[in-house]
Amino acid sequence: ETGVTQTPRHLVMGMTNKKSLKCEQHLGHNAMYWYKQSAKKPLELMFVYNFKEQTENNSVPSRFSPECPNSSHLFLHLHTLQPEDSALYLCASSQQPNYGYTFGSGTRLTVV
Amino acid sequence: GQQLNQSPQSMFIQEGEDVSMNCTSSSIFNTWLWYKQDPGEGPVLLIALYKAGELTSNGRLTAQFGITRKDSFLNISASIPSDVGIYFCAGQLNGGSQGNLIFGKGTKLSVKP
């Protein structure tokens, strides 16, 4: 596979569930990102990992917990989410300090 | 925080028409990027601009990095139905935390009924 792969593509979960989103990049990039995309809002940066180290946490609630075990994989662990957390969650990677992110296709999350 | 003002928010196109959209910012950026997002997919990079005044084309798409480094525009010539989607501008400063992309809210392109 090439590019950035996200699984699952769709996820429906209850507010008491625990689930994880997975992202894998096959580009040899050294930085990975989680973004949240809600209707009629700009893309919201959630977390940034450079060389597996978290360099940014954009005031994201603790019910979202990222994990970056190596430079190719990124997870977003979810627990006790709220309905307003329903959104498209996008993973991206880049080769810092160069520019231009490559995005995955996203996970459409619905919290019921 | 930093914001990008992207306009228009939405527009309708008729096949063959030229399309123009732009982004402005109160901040200076070192890089401007234009992405397109199709329904159910992630954004795909269309054009990257690295120098003030730079004009770059990608097929029927042309984008320019404003001289002031605070704006950029994207033009689509002779639009076709597959051009529909949401177009995002993004600005980037230097490396580190400032190297993260700032996105506009997007311009939604639809076909005229």
Side-chain angles (χ1 to χ4, degrees):
Chain A
E1 288 205 55
T2 58
V4 179
T5 305
Q6 286 188 246
T7 54
R9 290 295 306 271
H10 301 273
L11 179 62
V12 179
M13 60 186 288
M15 288 190 281
T16 57
N17 290 160
K18 288 185 181 181
K19 296 284 183 185
S20 296
L21 309 185
K22 179 183 175 183
C23 177
E24 184 175 0
Q25 59 100 357
H26 310 270
L27 300 166
H29 288 168
N30 57 18
M32 296 186 76
Y33 312 81
W34 279 116
Y35 277 87
K36 177 184 178 183
Q37 188 176 34
S38 307
K40 299 183 181 178
K41 283 189 179 180
L43 283 159
E44 299 173 60
L45 179 64
M46 299 176 72
F47 301 105
V48 180
Y49 278 83
N50 270 314
F51 296 100
K52 302 186 298 176
E53 299 297 322
Q54 187 181 124
T55 57
E56 189 151 339
N57 174 340
N58 250 7
S59 304
V60 179
S62 59
R63 56 186 185 269
F64 295 91
S65 173
E67 179 190 359
C68 188
N70 55 61
S71 57
S72 299
H73 294 85
L74 186 64
F75 295 90
L76 188 63
H77 303 300
L78 316 170
H79 63 98
T80 58
L81 294 192
Q82 305 298 310
E84 60 264 29
D85 296 322
S86 300
L88 181 68
Y89 288 84
L90 289 162
C91 173
S93 70
S94 72
Q95 183 64 23
Q96 294 284 8
N98 295 323
Y99 310 108
Y101 295 3
T102 302
F103 283 89
S105 297
T107 294
R108 173 66 63 186
L109 175 67
T110 304
V111 181
V112 297
Chain B
Q2 295 155 339
Q3 287 189 339
L4 292 184
N5 298 310
Q6 186 171 350
S7 65
Q9 284 188 351
S10 63
M11 56 194 310
F12 288 90
I13 59 170
Q14 199 150 40
E15 189 169 352
E17 284 181 342
D18 294 344
V19 171
S20 186
M21 61 193 78
N22 68 82
C23 267
T24 60
S25 171
S26 56
S27 302
I28 290 175
F29 289 108
N30 292 333
T31 300
W32 281 96
L33 304 166
W34 285 93
Y35 285 84
K36 183 194 177 194
Q37 186 175 23
D38 290 324
E41 297 295 330
V44 174
L45 182 64
L46 298 174
I47 293 180
L49 303 158
Y50 300 112
K51 285 195 290 193
E54 181 180 353
L55 184 72
T56 297
S57 293
N58 177 5
R60 294 178 295 104
L61 276 59
T62 302
Q64 184 157 32
F65 193 143
I67 289 290
T68 64
R69 293 165 63 194
K70 292 183 179 182
D71 63 324
S72 177
F73 72 74
L74 175 71
N75 287 341
I76 305 173
S77 63
S79 58
I80 59 178
S82 61
D83 288 334
V84 301
I86 302 177
Y87 292 79
F88 292 97
C89 63
Q92 190 170 29
L93 295 167
N94 295 319
S97 62
Q98 289 187 314
N100 299 328
L101 288 181
I102 311 295
F103 284 88
K105 288 188 178 182
T107 295
K108 184 176 181 180
L109 233 57
S110 306
V111 177
K112 266 183 194 172

